[in-house]
Amino acid sequence: MSNPNNNPWSRRHFLQASGALIGAGLAGCASTAQRGVARVVVVGGGYAGATCARYLRMWSDNRIDVTLVERDADFVSCPMSNLVVGGVRRIEDITLSRENLARRHGVRLLRGEVAAIDLDKRQVRLTTDERIAFDRLVVAPGIDFLWDSVPGLSAEMADSTVLHAWKAGPQTTRLHEQIRSMRDGGTVALCIPKAPYRCPPGPYERASTIAHYLKTHKPGSKVLILDANDDIQSKKGLFLKAWADHYPGMIEYRKDHVISSVDPTSKTVRFELGETVRADVLNVIPAQRAGDIARPFINRNGRWVGVNWLSMEAEAAAGVHVLGDATFSAPGMPKSGHMANQHAKVAAAAIINLLGGQPINDQPVVMNTCYSFVTDRSAMHVASVHQYDAGERTFKTVAGSGGLSTTASDREGDIALAWARNIWADVLG
Amino acid sequence: MKTTIAVAAIVTSLCTPSSPYAADPQLGRNLAATCANCHGTDGRSVGGIDSLAGQPKDTLVRKMTEFRNGSRPTTIMHQIAKGYTEQQIDLIAAYFAARQ
């Protein structure tokens, strides 16, 4: 760890980090309040991390010292980003500042990148070599991509030609520009990875908002969905109905399309079943895993971080709370911004109690809603409520609760936008 | 790795208080926070969906009951309300009612 060129996620580091678990575990049960102000470092300022930072301050009456480390200048929302892809919203509309977290809540905002997590010293080291000490650590890195799942495509190529646009930001705008400059009569191909991936209905929403744009501006064009799964993963009936109602003949859905290789130059994809598809705009969403920062804590399927759902503490590291898309999901629990926000509140409540030497809540509840737009105005939802099951030590969806819209509607489009405004205010203070 | 995780588990259990999970006095607050995504932090909406803060407890309980039994028109609340127990709704309603 003293070598600045050391890869933080090397095997050596991993072993070091694991060796430090004992220290971290013991520290976790001391009542930190007796030693002065408790310090929590939150790494990642998205839906999960920013919410956690805010609620740690709010629910502790500002008694916990919270530092939020984030690489990017602004918060750019993944939810609603398909409206930018479809050209009915601008990237500015989904870009928000994190400064209220500092101004209204006293969170220390630190723009930077984490180079290493030292569980032994209980420090986070940034690439600038700055070190920040913590009593408890929150890691909310979102997802990173498994480039092996798309041979021929690299992070660099994916940034210039064959975009994923599965992290909201510059690629979101660029994907819209690619579609805007496509010839009328062209094909936009959208490749979906095997579940689990971030935002189950997201790819189908994207197909819809792209089709909406094409219908309005380039009516001879089409959207081709190439899904590695054997069926539409979310809101199937509602999407099929919306596509038939609004875009007859424009959206073609093909299942069981697992990518074997991608040629970014010719925008060609080959599939395991032998088929080859060439597109005018090729949007490939690679398979995903827990984000880089959480790598030392990955213990499920080599991809995700298993957590104790009462505290969101990583199974592989006491004192480290992992939130959001990076976690190994409970049954029926989607990887979504809404769910990430809910994880953050479970963690904030637990961390405050743990730091104060109090028992933690044994009956947490989380709920999820994902709104999907199918036109510029019309949206539909899927909702679920998840209660903790002490016997199985996981969250379970409540039988008879949750469900889908009866149909997409403009009324739910308005509610979806109100949801966005309210959750953004909840996340960012 | 296995041994390390096992050791960590023992350490965790050693330092956990003897009755680790008693009823949390903040249960109402925690449950109400699951509604904030749509109704605003502490039930104070920034617009588009109603605020819940400051509504009388009985009113909130009645509305939730009507959502559950289908007598109140809704797009989504019937599905959400059925996910919570009556005791939980009671705690949530008390929490929001107490927000000025």
Side-chain angles (χ1 to χ4, degrees), chain A residues 18 21-22 25 29 54-55 58-59 310 338 341-342 345 349 353 359-362 365 367 369 381 385 387 398 400-404 415 418-419 421-423 426, chain B residues 1 4-5 7-8 11-12 15 19-22 24 27 29-31 33-34 36-41 45-49 75-76 79-80 82-85 88:
Chain A
S18 310
L21 285 177
I22 300 170
C29 63
R54 183 214 179 155
Y55 273 77
M58 206 171 79
W59 281 352
L310 291 176
H338 191 125
N341 163 285
Q342 301 264 311
K345 292 166 184 173
N353 285 17
I360 60 177
N361 178 14
D362 65 344
V365 180
M367 65 91 50
T369 303
H381 76 258
V385 183
Q387 299 256 2
V398 180
S401 76
L404 301 161
I415 294 172
W419 168 87
R421 289 201 302 281
N422 275 293
I423 193 171
D426 192 47
Chain B
M1 280 315 296
T4 319
I5 290 168
V7 171
V11 170
T12 313
C15 71
S19 164
Y21 305 126
D24 191 319
L27 195 53
R29 177 201 71 183
N30 294 352
L31 289 165
T34 67
N37 307 44
C38 296
H39 290 283
T41 308
S45 173
V46 299
I49 302 174
T75 59
I76 193 168
Q79 296 168 347
I80 294 174
K82 285 177 194 153
Y84 295 78
T85 65
Q88 288 171 335

Side-chain angles (χ1 to χ4, degrees), chain A residues 43-52 68 70 75-76 98 140 340 427-428:
Chain A
V43 183
Y47 276 89
T51 305
C52 195
L68 176 63
E70 163 62 44
F75 173 97
V76 188
R98 293 188 184 84
V427 172
L428 298 167

Side-chain angles (χ1 to χ4, degrees), chain B residues 63-98:
Chain B
K63 287 176 179 171
M64 290 298 274
T65 310
E66 289 168 0
F67 285 135
R68 281 157 68 106
N69 67 26
S71 64
R72 195 177 179 85
T74 141
T75 59
I76 193 168
M77 277 310 300
H78 58 304
Q79 296 168 347
I80 294 174
K82 285 177 194 153
Y84 295 78
T85 65
E86 278 174 34
Q87 294 91 315
Q88 288 171 335
I89 287 174
D90 213 66
L91 284 166
I92 293 170
Y95 182 83
F96 283 129

Side-chain angles (χ1 to χ4, degrees), chain A residues 26-205:
Chain A
L26 285 172
C29 63
S31 176
T32 322
Q34 295 156 6
R35 291 196 283 103
V37 181
R39 298 153 306 177
V40 178
V41 172
V42 180
V43 183
Y47 276 89
T51 305
C52 195
R54 183 214 179 155
Y55 273 77
L56 278 167
R57 293 286 296 168
M58 206 171 79
W59 281 352
S60 73
D61 292 325
N62 300 333
R63 275 195 292 246
I64 295 176
D65 182 284
V66 179
T67 303
L68 176 63
V69 185
E70 163 62 44
R71 181 171 50 191
D72 296 330
D74 289 315
F75 173 97
V76 188
S77 176
C78 265
M80 306 293 143
S81 67
N82 282 329
L83 291 177
V84 178
V85 173
V88 297
R89 284 288 187 286
R90 295 161 311 144
I91 194 80
E92 293 80 10
D93 299 326
I94 61 166
T95 302
L96 292 104
S97 159
R98 293 188 184 84
E99 69 186 27
N100 282 344
L101 292 172
R103 225 183 39 228
R104 295 190 187 152
H105 300 285
V107 173
R108 183 172 165 237
L109 291 181
L110 205 64
R111 176 118 180 253
E113 189 148 10
V114 171
I117 293 165
D118 187 336
L119 291 183
D120 204 4
K121 295 201 185 107
R122 288 149 83 229
Q123 281 182 346
V124 167
R125 181 166 60 79
L126 305 189
T127 47
T128 56
D129 216 35
E130 182 175 351
R131 284 145 214 266
I132 318 155
F134 59 79
D135 296 301
R136 285 189 170 265
L137 178 67
V138 176
V139 178
I143 48 120
D144 275 301
F145 297 107
L146 291 166
W147 293 108
D148 287 356
S149 70
V150 284
L153 201 56
S154 61
E156 295 70 37
M157 273 303 208
D159 205 35
S160 59
T161 47
V162 178
L163 308 172
H164 53 76
W166 216 240
K167 296 181 180 188
Q171 285 206 11
T172 310
T173 316
R174 237 175 285 150
L175 180 57
H176 173 64
E177 281 162 5
Q178 285 188 351
I179 294 163
R180 209 181 51 193
S181 51
M182 184 182 83
R183 68 185 167 96
D184 190 5
T187 297
V188 179
L190 169 51
C191 299
I192 306 174
K194 278 212 171 112
Y197 55 84
R198 160 181 281 182
C199 189
Y204 315 100
E205 177 190 57

